[in-house]
Amino acid sequence: MTTTQPTPPPTPDPDPHRLLHRIITGLLALAFLGYVLHEHPALRETAAAVGGLGALLLAALLAAGRIR
């Protein structure tokens, strides 16, 4: 007769508030960017270009993560 080993219990998440931290950090970054663009309208074109490149980079990273 053979026996199987019991499945070990899942390990708890080391940081259960990780999603909350990411959301708050993102909102703070957007608020800071909004403030800077409000105070310095000349930076809007540069910010749009950098934001567009950042969005493309983020999309590429997310796509690469789904492939794995």
Side-chain angles (χ1 to χ4, degrees):
M1 176 185 238
T2 61
T3 60
T4 59
Q5 296 293 328
T7 307
T11 57
D13 189 13
D15 186 9
H17 302 293
R18 182 182 307 153
L19 178 62
L20 180 64
H21 292 164
R22 288 183 179 179
I23 290 172
I24 291 173
T25 302
L27 289 174
L28 286 172
L30 285 175
F32 177 73
L33 181 62
Y35 171 75
V36 169
L37 293 179
H38 176 72
E39 292 295 321
H40 303 285
L43 295 176
R44 287 183 185 158
E45 187 176 332
T46 303
V50 171
L53 289 175
L56 288 176
L57 178 64
L58 179 62
L61 289 173
L62 290 175
R66 290 182 183 227
I67 292 173
R68 295 192 326 160

